[in-house]
Amino acid sequence: MTEWKKTTLEDICIKITDGSHFSPKEQQTGYPMYSVKDMDEYGFDQSKCKLISENDFLKMVQNDCVPQQNDVLVAKDGSYLKHIFLIKEQKDEAVLSSIAIFRPDISKIEPIYLVYILKNPITKQIISDNYVSGSALPRIVLKDFKKIELLIPPLSEQKKIAYTLSTLDNKIELNNQINDYLAS
C-alpha cells in the first residue's frame, strides 16, 4: 500500500498566477488572447477570441500571461472551475485574469493528474464551499487557490492513474471532434 499525503496547491506548484489584468486593444489580426468565456472542456475555442498586436503579446509574455506547456488552466471568475485543462503544447496565446495558471512542479505532481484531481466533483465541492468569494461575480482569488489542500499519491501512482484517465479522455475528445465534423 502506497502512502498518500495531504499537501497544498502552493506546495506542488512552482507558480500560481493568473492572466493579464489589462485588456489590450483588439486587432483584426494578431495573437489570440483568451478569457474564461473562450474555454471549453479540452482547450480554447478560438472562433470568438480577441486578437492582440505583437507588441501587446510581447508584454503578455513579459508579464507571464502566456501559458507554457504542462501548465494547468482553471476558470476562476464567474463560471469558476467549469473548465480545467492542461496546456499540451506551447503556443503563442495569452490569457486574461479570469483564468488561473498553475505551473506544476513535475517532481511532485504529474500535470495531467492535477487536472483530474481538480475536476473531481468532491474536490470541486470542497473548493466551492470554502474558497469562493463574491456574490455578483463569484470567483476564487489566487491567495485562496494556494491554500487548497489535496490528498495525492506518490508520483509513480499519479502517472498510472493519469495515463488511464487521459487515454479515455483522448478517445472522448476524438469522438467529440468527429461528431462536430459530421454535424458541420
Side-chain angles (χ1 to χ4, degrees):
M1 179 80 169
T2 56
E3 189 161 327
W4 290 50
K5 68 176 187 170
K6 189 183 273 193
T7 187
T8 63
L9 203 50
E10 184 173 39
D11 289 337
I12 58 173
C13 289
I14 296 166
K15 181 174 272 194
I16 296 175
T17 190
D18 58 8
S20 176
H21 289 253
F22 163 72
S23 185
K25 185 178 175 195
E26 188 167 3
Q27 306 285 308
Q28 292 291 77
T29 61
Y31 295 86
M33 179 158 218
Y34 299 109
S35 74
V36 73
K37 70 178 178 22
D38 300 310
M39 295 176 85
D40 65 26
E41 190 68 23
Y42 298 104
F44 290 113
D45 175 0
Q46 195 172 357
S47 65
K48 296 178 186 141
C49 80
K50 183 177 187 174
L51 299 176
I52 60 173
S53 71
E54 183 175 9
N55 282 343
D56 286 332
F57 177 75
L58 293 174
K59 288 178 191 171
M60 297 301 118
V61 170
Q62 189 174 33
N63 293 326
D64 210 11
C65 299
V66 175
Q68 297 177 10
Q69 184 176 2
N70 287 327
D71 281 356
V72 175
L73 300 190
V74 180
K76 73 174 193 72
D77 293 349
S79 57
Y80 64 90
L81 303 178
K82 181 177 180 183
H83 297 297
I84 302 167
F85 58 82
L86 179 71
I87 297 296
K88 294 178 182 174
E89 61 183 76
Q90 182 76 40
K91 294 182 181 176
D92 288 339
E93 52 192 22
V95 297
L96 287 167
S97 64
S98 58
I99 301 172
I101 303 169
F102 300 161
R103 192 150 300 142
D105 180 341
I106 59 172
S107 70
K108 296 178 180 178
I109 186 97
E110 176 67 23
I112 192 67
Y113 181 82
L114 179 58
V115 169
Y116 291 124
I117 198 167
L118 291 170
K119 283 184 170 188
N120 180 299
I122 295 169
T123 303
K124 282 184 167 187
Q125 189 62 54
I126 291 168
I127 294 170
S128 183
D129 290 347
N130 296 290
Y131 300 101
V132 174
S133 59
S135 54
L137 181 66
R139 64 172 39 117
I140 305 168
V141 295
L142 292 176
K143 70 176 178 58
D144 288 337
F145 268 125
K146 293 175 181 182
K147 294 186 244 176
I148 293 171
E149 290 185 333
L150 303 170
L151 191 60
I152 61 168
L155 196 55
S156 60
E157 201 166 321
Q158 291 175 36
K159 289 179 183 209
K160 290 175 190 172
I161 294 167
Y163 175 78
T164 301
L165 293 175
S166 63
T167 299
L168 294 170
D169 240 4
N170 290 340
K171 289 179 181 183
I172 292 168
E173 184 178 7
L174 180 60
N175 283 339
N176 288 343
Q177 289 171 353
I178 291 168
N179 289 340
D180 290 346
Y181 175 76
L182 293 174
S184 62

